[in-house]
């Protein structure tokens, strides 16, 4: 029997003759595992070889295979330093770049949202200012616009215009803005504002007095009264009122005689003082 110790080398072959088969084992564990064995014969086959009895060599092979499996199954970081692959480095760089670009895009989106909000506020302000400008323009046009009229009857005297009848003055002296309608005897306000209306009425000498009202939208504001008798009498009325555009003013018989003097002896006038 031979008791020895050897270190395995690449390309080593062990031949075990069991009497019924030959086991050939080839491994590459170079100078890693010491093996203790017993052999009856030792001879070199190639670089190194040994022919041993199976009962001695088989346990040693089991040890070698077990240790080999341990080495193969061991984690990579226990066998040596971990080498960082270039692909991983590139991937990390791309991920970092994407994160940076995402942050930039997010900031730009926030700035865009802020700009859109400011634009909406400016548009709203512009619309409001446009409305104010339009209102001021209308006021300016109304202020500079002249509204006035003076009318009387072309005939004298005026006979029987009817109880509660509207006086339709047919002779127009002034009618700027065409507010007065001679066919109806009604003045329609072309613009809103403050107006003055004046009425002079002269009675005929038939012994009957007469009263003529100034009417706004069907409501009497004042009256001009002229007494009757053997001579003519003259009454007058003056009112200052606010009118909206489209509102109407006229003169209407209230009571008494239905005949009055005409021409410039009975006159109806009105004019705009200040537009709204």
């Amino acid at each position: 029997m031979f008791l020895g110790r050897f270190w395995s080398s690449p390309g080593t072959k062990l031949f075990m003759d069991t009497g019924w088969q030959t086991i050939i084992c080839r491994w590459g564990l170079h100078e890693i595992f010491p093996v203790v064995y017993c052999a009856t014969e030792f001879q070199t086959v190639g670089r190194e070889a040994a022919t041993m009895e199976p009962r001695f060599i088989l346990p040693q092979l089991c040890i070698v295979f077990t240790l080999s499996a341990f080495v193969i199954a061991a984690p990579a970081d226990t066998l040596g330093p971990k080498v960082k692959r270039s692909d991983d480095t590139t991937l990390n760089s791309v991920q970092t770049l994407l994160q940076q670009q995402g942050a930039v895009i997010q900031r730009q989106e926030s700035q865009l949202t802020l700009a859109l909000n400011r634009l909406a506020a400016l548009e709203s302000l512009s619309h409001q200012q446009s409305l104010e400008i339009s209102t001021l323009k209308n006021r300016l046009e109304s202020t500079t616009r002249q509204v006035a009229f003076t009318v009387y009857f072309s005939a004298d005297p005026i006979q029987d215009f009817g109880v509660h009848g509207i006086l339709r003055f047919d002779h127009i002296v002034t009618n700027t803005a065409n507010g007065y309608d001679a066919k109806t005897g009604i003045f329609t306000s072309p613009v809103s504002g403050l107006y003055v209306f004046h009425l002079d009425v002269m009675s005929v000498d038939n012994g009957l007095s007469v009263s003529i009202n100034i009417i706004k939208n069907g409501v009497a504001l004042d009256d001009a009264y002229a007494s009757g008798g053997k001579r003519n009498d003259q009454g007058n009325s003056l009112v200052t009122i606010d009118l909206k555009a489209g509102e109407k003013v006229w003169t209407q018989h209230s009571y008494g005689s239905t005949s009055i003097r005409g021409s410039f002896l009975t006159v109806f006038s009105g004019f705009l003082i200040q537009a709204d």
Side-chain angles (χ1 to χ4, degrees), residues 44-45 112 132 198 244 266 272:
T44 300
V45 179
L112 178 60
E132 292 177 355
H198 180 264
K244 300 297 182 182
T266 299
L272 173 67

Side-chain angles (χ1 to χ4, degrees), residues 12 17 28 31 34 63 81 85 93 102 105 118 123 136 161-162 176 183 192 223 243 256 260 267:
T12 300
D17 187 1
E31 296 181 353
I63 294 175
R85 297 177 57 186
S93 299
I105 292 174
R118 289 180 178 177
E123 289 179 348
L136 292 174
F161 46 77
T176 60
K183 293 180 180 180
S192 300
D223 71 330
L243 290 179
I260 57 175
V267 180

Side-chain angles (χ1 to χ4, degrees), residues 67-145:
L67 293 176
S68 299
F70 172 77
V71 172
I72 294 173
D77 54 358
T78 62
L79 298 179
K82 183 177 180 180
V83 179
K84 192 172 184 180
R85 297 177 57 186
S86 60
D87 292 344
D88 295 339
T89 303
T90 303
L91 180 59
N92 292 336
S93 299
V94 171
Q95 290 177 345
T96 302
L97 180 60
L98 289 177
Q99 292 175 354
Q100 294 174 351
Q101 293 296 327
V104 172
I105 292 174
Q106 187 175 5
R107 287 196 301 269
Q108 291 177 346
E109 288 178 348
S110 300
Q111 294 174 356
L112 178 60
T113 301
L114 181 61
L116 291 175
N117 292 336
R118 289 180 178 177
L119 179 60
L122 289 175
E123 289 179 348
S124 177
L125 179 61
S126 176
H127 179 68
Q128 182 178 358
Q129 290 178 343
S130 297
L131 294 178
E132 292 177 355
I133 291 173
S134 178
T135 301
L136 292 174
K137 184 178 179 180
N138 292 335
R139 287 185 178 180
L140 179 61
E141 291 178 352
S142 299
T143 302
T144 57
R145 187 174 184 180

